[in-house]
């Protein structure tokens, strides 16, 4: 093709699309980006040509011909990123580090796919309470057709997770960045619990017409907390972790009970106080129970050691504040066992067993320590929280 003097060469679109295997005299154009830079639509074509004019203005080291295409691509990218800026600003922009996102890492990163949860924990040692303040979540995984979710948070204590120790926040509708600012409290938490228990915090999506869906969770060993010091957390949610299947089902927790013991030297007997219960298992269809407490001092040869509290209607956190007295010599207490059971009262049918605990010389942990402290400290009232389990060795599970 011959060009007249002063005439510019034009290239057709067919020539641009040519490839190496194309027969004929048309050769591929090595630097298509010089003619088609990645500019926003509407940018004058003259700017693309001016990119070559910018290069001589900046002194650059010589490069091999094999590296030249990469250099041109980088120049075009720099021009695209700097469109709308002056040439003086352009070199400074190109020096800024570029954030690279790994597609595989993005998919496997639970922070980006499931979201984060902001909360704080406080162990009130004096009152045996664990305060869990759920602040907010951010960037939750969409669960509904509208690209949003209806999230809530639920808590469990492990091991021994059950409905009795489940707490939950309110549900917030149509949001991936909910703010709860809600405090949930576990009562009856002992120093022993703080050593061996783990708090499981799960974020779920509530559905009205089907099962609620799991979004993500995190688990905090309570031994990480210092008594009476608030610890703040901002944690990435994880996929659902397996629960230990080997956990003994006989140790399923059914709630907590606060018991006081005092041996009276003046009255020559044991004074037992049933103060309150917390987080009892719900036994009725309405989601509550009608609890009362029975106690025995065993061995009970005369069948006269049974005592019962009043029934508290429709509650999982009853307060009894009742005391019972057993006339017994101090030396004989070492041979005795105090059996405490909690029941749900039902009209017209058998009462349901909720849970129980045994205190005595053959008990373990806090139960043994409570009994020992009572024997050791005469005329001193000692209160302790104890965990109710769904099985009680030696107990007759009928009322």
């Amino acid at each position: 093709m011959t060009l007249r003097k002063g005439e510019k060469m034009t290239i057709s679109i067919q020539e641009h699309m040519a490839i190496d295997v194309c027969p004929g005299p048309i050769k591929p154009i090595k630097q298509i980006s010089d003619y088609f830079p990645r500019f926003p639509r509407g940018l004058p074509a003259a700017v693309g040509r001016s990119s070559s004019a910018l290069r001589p203005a900046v002194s650059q080291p010589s490069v091999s011909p094999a590296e030249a295409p990469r250099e041109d691509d980088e120049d075009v990218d720099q021009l695209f990123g700097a469109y709308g800026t002056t040439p003086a600003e352009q070199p400074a922009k190109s020096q800024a580090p570029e954030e690279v996102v790994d597609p595989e890492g993005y998919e496997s990163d639970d922070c980006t796919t499931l979201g984060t949860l902001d909360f704080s924990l406080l162990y009130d040692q004096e009152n045996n309470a664990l305060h869990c303040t759920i602040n907010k979540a951010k960037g939750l995984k969409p669960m509904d057709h509208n690209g949003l979710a209806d999230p809530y948070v639920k808590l469990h204590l492990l091991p021994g997770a059950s409905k009795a120790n489940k707490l939950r926040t309110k549900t917030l509708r149509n949001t991936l960045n909910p703010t709860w600012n809600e405090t949930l409290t576990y009562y009856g938490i002992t120093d022993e619990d703080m050593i061996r228990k783990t708090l499981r915090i799960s974020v779920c999506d509530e559905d009205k017409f089907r099962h609620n869906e799991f979004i993500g969770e995190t688990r905090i060993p309570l031994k990480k907390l210092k008594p009476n010091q608030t610890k703040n957390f901002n944690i990435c949610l994880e996929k659902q972790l397996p629960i230990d299947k080997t956990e003994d089902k006989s140790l399923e927790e059914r709630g907590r009970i606060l018991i006081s013991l005092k041996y009276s030297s003046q009255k020559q007997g044991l004074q037992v106080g049933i103060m309150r219960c917390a987080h009892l298992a719900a036994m009725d269809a309405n989601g509550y129970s009608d609890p009362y407490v029975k106690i025995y001092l065993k061995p009970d040869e005369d069948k006269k050691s049974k005592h019962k509290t009043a029934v508290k209607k429709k509650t999982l956190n009853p307060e009894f504040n009742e005391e019972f007295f057993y006339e017994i010599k101090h030396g004989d207490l070492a041979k005795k066992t105090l059996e405490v059971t909690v029941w749900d009262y039902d009209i017209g049918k058998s009462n349901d067993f909720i849970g129980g605990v045994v205190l005595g010389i053959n008990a373990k942990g806090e139960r043994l320590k409570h009994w020992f402290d009572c024997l050791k400290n005469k005329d001193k009232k000692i209160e302790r929280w104890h965990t109710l389990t769904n099985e009680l060795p030696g107990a007759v599970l009928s009322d």
Side-chain angles (χ1 to χ4, degrees):
M1 180 184 293
T2 56
L3 297 176
R4 297 179 183 176
K5 188 176 181 180
E7 187 177 272
K8 294 183 178 180
M9 183 176 68
T10 58
I11 299 174
S12 67
I13 188 65
Q14 287 82 358
E15 292 174 307
H16 285 299
M17 300 302 293
I19 57 175
D20 287 329
V21 297
C22 180
I26 299 176
K27 295 181 179 181
I29 298 169
K30 295 182 179 179
Q31 296 297 321
I32 295 180
S33 59
D34 288 341
Y35 301 94
F36 290 89
R38 287 171 284 177
F39 289 141
R41 183 176 296 178
L43 187 66
V47 178
R49 298 190 187 95
S50 68
S51 63
S52 58
L54 288 175
R55 286 187 212 125
V58 182
S59 61
Q60 297 181 359
S62 60
V63 294
S64 62
E67 295 176 351
R70 184 177 178 181
E71 176 190 343
D72 289 343
D73 285 343
E74 290 175 354
D75 287 344
V76 172
D77 290 341
Q78 291 172 11
L79 283 173
F80 179 67
Y83 175 59
T85 64
T86 61
E89 295 172 336
Q90 190 177 327
K93 292 266 186 179
S94 64
Q95 294 175 1
E98 200 171 321
E99 185 175 285
V100 179
V101 178
D102 181 9
E104 292 183 2
Y106 180 85
E107 290 297 325
S108 62
D109 187 356
D110 290 339
C111 286
T112 56
T113 57
L114 302 179
T116 61
L117 183 65
D118 184 285
F119 61 96
S120 64
L121 301 177
L122 170 63
Y123 173 47
D124 183 352
Q125 190 175 35
E126 182 179 354
N127 296 309
N128 296 102
L130 176 65
H131 302 288
C132 314
T133 301
I134 308 299
N135 297 318
K136 60 184 178 180
K138 187 176 181 181
L140 295 181
K141 179 182 177 182
M143 304 299 290
D144 298 336
H145 295 301
N146 59 3
L148 300 173
D150 302 320
Y152 67 93
V153 178
K154 64 178 181 180
L155 311 179
H156 282 104
L157 285 175
L158 305 175
S162 65
K163 291 183 179 180
N165 65 36
K166 183 184 80 171
L167 300 177
R168 62 163 287 175
T169 66
K170 60 188 176 183
T171 301
L172 299 182
R173 303 290 177 185
N174 297 323
T175 178
L176 300 180
N177 301 286
T179 299
W180 289 282
N181 291 328
E182 195 170 337
T183 298
L184 307 174
T185 301
Y186 280 106
Y187 295 100
I189 300 298
T190 64
D191 291 340
E192 183 182 5
D193 291 326
M194 297 302 294
I195 295 173
R196 67 184 186 92
K197 291 284 188 180
T198 295
L199 180 65
R200 179 190 184 194
I201 306 177
S202 307
V203 181
C204 300
D205 171 61
E206 184 177 292
D207 283 319
K208 291 183 178 179
F209 305 107
R210 54 180 179 174
H211 291 297
N212 296 342
E213 295 180 290
F214 175 86
I215 297 177
E217 71 169 43
T218 186
R219 298 186 185 185
I220 306 296
L222 297 185
K223 60 185 177 183
K224 287 187 175 182
L225 305 181
K226 295 181 179 180
N228 306 314
Q229 292 185 22
T230 300
K231 188 174 179 66
N232 298 309
F233 298 86
N234 195 324
I235 294 182
C236 296
L237 295 173
E238 302 176 72
K239 297 174 183 176
Q240 194 160 16
L241 301 173
I243 296 178
D244 188 5
K245 299 294 185 181
T246 62
E247 183 182 325
D248 189 356
K249 294 298 182 181
S250 67
L251 297 181
E252 179 187 338
E253 293 187 6
R254 310 299 293 271
R256 303 291 174 103
I257 185 168
L258 180 60
I259 301 172
S260 70
L261 297 178
K262 175 185 173 182
Y263 185 82
S264 173
S265 300
Q266 183 179 0
K267 296 181 179 180
Q268 289 290 302
L270 177 66
Q271 188 171 302
V272 180
I274 304 299
M275 313 312 293
R276 58 179 294 197
C277 293
H279 314 299
L280 293 180
M283 307 303 289
D284 296 337
N286 59 9
Y288 293 97
S289 293
D290 301 320
Y292 68 95
V293 180
K294 291 194 303 177
I295 63 173
Y296 293 90
L297 191 63
K298 293 188 174 182
D300 182 18
E301 298 174 356
D302 299 330
K303 307 287 185 182
K304 294 181 180 180
S305 70
K306 176 181 174 182
H307 290 289
K308 293 171 62 174
T309 67
V311 176
K312 301 295 180 179
K313 293 288 187 179
K314 199 177 179 182
T315 178
L316 301 180
N317 300 281
E319 293 192 17
F320 299 101
N321 294 317
E322 297 187 37
E323 292 187 340
F324 306 98
F325 184 78
Y326 291 103
E327 186 175 340
I328 186 173
K329 294 179 181 179
H330 183 267
D332 293 337
L333 276 179
K335 306 172 187 176
K336 294 289 187 178
T337 295
L338 182 67
E339 184 181 290
V340 182
T341 55
V342 183
W343 298 78
D344 170 54
Y345 177 75
D346 287 319
I347 300 176
K349 60 179 182 178
S350 298
N351 297 331
D352 298 318
F353 173 72
I354 296 178
V357 64
V358 173
L359 308 180
I361 203 68
N362 296 320
K364 296 180 181 179
E366 289 287 334
R367 295 166 293 157
L368 174 61
K369 189 174 185 299
H370 194 184
W371 192 256
F372 179 77
D373 288 345
C374 172
L375 298 180
K376 185 180 178 181
N377 301 282
K378 294 181 181 180
D379 301 311
K380 183 179 179 180
K381 186 177 182 179
I382 301 173
E383 286 188 357
R384 295 279 169 78
W385 283 94
H386 296 283
T387 300
L388 298 168
T389 58
N390 64 331
E391 287 188 11
L392 188 57
V396 179
L397 300 185
S398 61
D399 188 26

